[in-house]
Amino acid sequence: MLSPERLALPDYEYLAQRHVLTYMEDAVCQLLENREDVNQYGIARFFTEYFNSVCQGTHILFREFSFIQATPHNRASFLRAFWRCFRTVGKNGDLLTMREYHCLLQLLCPDFPLELTQKAARIVLMDDAMDCLMSFSDFLFAFQIQFYYSEFLDSVAAIYQDLLSGKNPNTVIVPTSSSGQHHQRPALGEASTLEGVEASLFYQHLENLCDRHKYSCPPPALVKEILSSVQRLTFYGFLVALSKHHGINQALGALPDKGDLMHDPAMDEELERLLVQVPGLVNPITATPEAGYLPSRTPSRVGSPWRPLHHPRKVDAESDGSTEETDESET
């Protein structure tokens, strides 16, 4: 039975909304690159397994950045894979630097851009130095907002900068996911010295922006809820509020609630089942199926820059996302 959403849209619009052409083109490229292997078990089986992997969200593992950011589903799948592979960092209470988190991201996507990781870390660290340590949950929820809504946030930064300088931001150019361009963020020290912008005026411009970003912006009602609770705010204050908002995390649907972030019973059970079959492997509780596969896969296009994490530290519990707890890890 077709969903109400499917019945309400013309065929071409539904296919475009679901990015079906993107996956068909990628499937054909994968087919041509692996034609010798495909000939052994047939084209029909290849397409079946390809689209099963798309549905399961495993199709983005070890792929190039241009592919993992190509569709909202790819972005959500990458976020979920990153959480599942490395949630033991949070379970163990380890605190890592921005560059160490970037190394973990590059294990799943070897050419993942450093700039996006830096922007996510800045949401957590604010005025702190970029080499400060962060908890897994703090980084993960900040990274989710920065990665999934990247183009939207670039436009928000431009609007904010225009409002600070007294310009009319109505002519802001909305970047696309294929542009590969990232705009300069407002200077953090300057934004802290000024008291930000008027929240109601900021929302008026963001509401128009959300109309143009139909598939890559937070729900406008939740943006309004955030901005209506304050009179003024800074750009990074807005990003922090987005990253901590329970409703936005639910609407995005890639990660569990913060209280359930370290719990994945189905994954743990599958892990134990798989590792029992592999002789010589020990301590199955500290890995996940995706992470277990990492050493056996060498990306052919870009070499992995992985280096050992040299100074993990322990905490008793996950932080609540505040910069104070991150600061205390340095003392």
Side-chain angles (χ1 to χ4, degrees):
M1 183 177 179
L2 297 177
S3 66
E5 177 189 15
R6 173 65 184 88
L7 294 172
L9 292 175
D11 291 344
Y12 68 89
E13 189 173 340
Y14 179 82
L15 293 176
Q17 186 184 50
R18 297 297 179 179
H19 302 274
V20 173
L21 182 58
T22 299
Y23 295 117
M24 286 299 301
E25 290 176 346
D26 184 64
V28 171
C29 289
Q30 296 292 316
L31 176 65
L32 294 176
E33 289 180 6
N34 301 278
R35 62 170 64 93
E36 294 182 1
D37 294 332
V38 172
N39 287 337
Q40 297 179 11
Y41 53 84
I43 294 178
R45 180 179 171 185
F46 168 81
F47 278 104
T48 298
E49 292 184 354
Y50 176 87
F51 282 101
N52 280 340
S53 72
V54 172
C55 291
Q56 295 165 5
T58 58
H59 64 300
I60 46 77
L61 291 173
F62 316 110
R63 294 296 303 273
E64 62 279 6
F65 179 73
S66 60
F67 180 72
I68 70 166
Q69 71 155 358
T71 72
H73 175 65
N74 286 8
R75 297 187 187 201
S77 298
F78 185 79
L79 286 167
R80 193 175 298 110
F82 181 76
W83 160 61
R84 286 186 141 183
C85 284
F86 304 116
R87 65 191 173 92
T88 51
V89 172
K91 290 181 72 173
N92 295 338
D94 295 328
L95 300 175
L96 306 181
T97 66
M98 178 275 297
R99 289 196 174 273
E100 288 170 333
Y101 281 116
H102 186 65
C103 287
L104 297 182
L105 289 166
Q106 289 189 306
L107 285 177
L108 302 182
C109 173
D111 65 336
F112 196 92
L114 177 63
E115 184 180 6
L116 277 180
T117 314
Q118 291 173 328
K119 287 180 176 181
R122 180 58 66 198
I123 298 174
V124 179
L125 298 174
M126 300 292 283
D127 289 316
D128 295 333
M130 289 295 284
D131 59 353
C132 288
L133 301 176
M134 295 172 281
S135 72
F136 181 71
S137 64
D138 286 350
F139 177 80
L140 181 62
F141 285 109
F143 175 70
Q144 172 178 237
I145 295 298
Q146 178 56 61
F147 176 60
Y148 194 87
Y149 297 127
S150 180
E151 296 81 19
F152 171 76
L153 295 184
D154 283 342
S155 292
V156 171
I159 290 175
Y160 179 85
Q161 197 68 33
D162 284 346
L163 289 176
L164 272 183
S165 59
K167 298 178 182 178
N168 186 343
N170 288 332
T171 57
V172 170
I173 298 175
V174 179
T176 62
S177 60
S178 60
S179 65
Q181 298 178 350
H182 300 283
H183 297 280
Q184 185 67 33
R185 291 287 173 87
L188 197 62
E190 178 185 1
S192 300
T193 302
L194 305 169
E195 296 177 357
V197 299
E198 184 182 342
S200 59
L201 180 61
F202 193 35
Y203 174 70
Q204 290 177 18
H205 293 288
L206 294 194
E207 186 177 25
N208 294 331
L209 182 62
C210 287
D211 289 338
R212 290 175 283 172
H213 273 276
K214 293 185 182 299
Y215 306 116
S216 59
C217 71
L222 299 181
V223 174
K224 182 178 182 180
E225 178 184 317
I226 291 172
L227 295 178
S228 63
S229 64
V230 295
Q231 292 185 340
R232 301 182 68 84
L233 84 168
T234 64
F235 176 70
Y236 282 96
F238 177 62
L239 298 191
V240 170
L242 288 177
S243 68
K244 293 183 178 181
H245 197 284
H246 173 73
I248 289 178
N249 181 57
Q250 281 196 323
L252 203 152
L255 301 176
D257 295 336
K258 187 170 183 177
D260 298 324
L261 199 61
M262 305 309 156
H263 305 290
D264 193 356
M267 182 63 71
D268 289 337
E269 183 178 343
E270 177 68 9
L271 166 72
E272 293 180 7
R273 184 186 68 80
L274 290 174
L275 293 188
V276 163
Q277 305 173 26
V278 182
L281 287 183
V282 295
N283 198 17
I285 303 302
T286 59
T288 62
E290 291 101 326
Y293 294 146
L294 290 175
S296 64
R297 176 70 177 266
T298 303
S300 58
R301 299 183 181 179
V302 186
S304 172
W306 169 250
R307 59 184 174 81
L309 304 180
H310 55 276
H311 54 73
R313 302 187 185 180
K314 303 289 183 179
V315 293
D316 293 332
E318 280 297 308
S319 101
D320 60 358
S322 65
T323 56
E324 288 81 359
E325 179 164 319
T326 303
D327 290 340
E328 291 173 0
S329 66
E330 283 293 276
T331 61

